[in-house]
Amino acid sequence: MDALKKDFSSKLLEIKAIKLQPTQPFTWASGWKSPFYCDNRKTLSYPEIRNFVKTEIVHNILAHFPDVEVIAGVATAGVPQASIVADALHLPLVYVRSKPKDHGLENLIEGELEAGKKVVVIEDLVSTGGSSLKACEAIRKAGGEVVGMVAAYTYGFPVAEQAFKEANVPLVTLTDYEHVVEQALATGYIKDSDTELLDEWRKNPSQWMQ
């Protein structure tokens, strides 16, 4: 088990950022139903964990994308993390809206993005990858060069892995579904019977409870 992924999984469980609701499933932006939800945004309210996330994202950027010139956050959940990471690295910050503003300058990307600059995108969570890659596409259309993405968490769905591969966007994450579930089971956060339900959901998440 990856030490960082295990450590961050424990921290998410510690602040109860992991939710399991088999009888009242969550509905994702993609329309998928899920008995499992990871709310990374809770880390923002815990200074020590917030600093941990910032530090580890910075470490991963320096290790995997050392030529970065601009940090971009994906609105809304990726923006706070992108802001503190950009500050730590002393780099320019932009953020990408889910859709252009309907007034004023009608911007899709907020901030100053110079054409040709190498951009690392910061995301809170990756599920199907749709919204994350849409942000990368917007940056490329604006002239930026997306060198990679760092996310706090991924569900690791094959559909997302394939989408990132096809979009040529390297993805690095602090933790993932497998590590969270393993830690949750080891610490008694979930029961063996819960893992059976989760395994069933993971087999075909797009059709679960449809």
Side-chain angles (χ1 to χ4, degrees):
M1 177 180 276
D2 184 291
L4 170 59
K5 289 181 169 59
K6 179 179 179 181
D7 194 9
F8 188 39
S9 295
S10 296
K11 293 181 188 302
L12 290 173
L13 295 167
E14 177 186 328
I15 61 174
K16 295 182 170 55
I18 305 301
K19 307 293 183 183
L20 189 65
Q21 293 183 188
T23 58
Q24 293 180 300
F26 303 95
T27 302
W28 292 351
S30 61
W32 290 11
K33 300 289 185 181
S34 171
F36 181 98
Y37 191 80
C38 179
D39 186 6
N40 280 310
R41 288 164 292 195
K42 290 190 72 172
T43 62
L44 298 169
S45 299
Y46 297 83
E48 288 187 8
I49 299 179
R50 184 179 67 224
N51 188 61
F52 172 89
V53 172
K54 176 192 73 175
T55 300
E56 294 304 332
I57 290 178
V58 166
H59 286 169
N60 274 282
I61 290 174
L62 295 176
H64 297 279
F65 314 113
D67 55 349
V68 60
E69 296 174 298
V70 178
I71 299 296
V74 180
T76 57
V79 175
Q81 293 172 344
S83 298
I84 57 179
V85 165
D87 189 58
L89 289 170
H90 305 289
L91 289 175
L93 170 73
V94 298
Y95 72 87
V96 187
R97 293 176 174 273
S98 58
K99 59 182 180 179
K101 288 172 62 178
D102 58 5
H103 60 279
L105 298 176
E106 300 182 351
N107 291 336
L108 178 58
I109 298 176
E110 299 289 1
E112 194 71 29
L113 177 60
E114 295 181 31
K117 290 292 186 180
K118 293 178 171 59
V119 183
V120 169
V121 182
I122 306 299
E123 180 63 288
D124 168 65
L125 177 148
V126 174
S127 53
T128 64
S131 58
S132 304
L133 291 174
K134 184 178 177 182
C136 294
E137 181 183 359
I139 292 169
R140 286 170 169 168
K141 284 183 177 179
E145 179 186 345
V146 177
V147 295
M149 178 180 292
V150 180
Y153 175 88
T154 180
Y155 284 96
F157 294 124
V159 64
E161 293 177 352
Q162 183 62 29
F164 273 86
K165 182 178 179 180
E166 291 176 357
N168 194 27
V169 176
L171 173 64
V172 178
T173 65
L174 301 190
T175 194
D176 53 33
Y177 172 86
E178 285 78 12
H179 283 82
V180 165
V181 170
E182 188 168 337
Q183 280 298 104
L185 188 58
T187 58
Y189 195 88
I190 62 174
K191 305 183 294 293
D192 286 329
S193 57
D194 294 324
T195 62
E196 294 173 9
L197 169 75
L198 291 171
D199 287 343
E200 187 64 30
W201 166 68
R202 284 278 287 179
K203 289 177 184 176
N204 194 357
S206 64
Q207 297 301 314
W208 190 75
M209 288 197 72
Q210 294 294 329

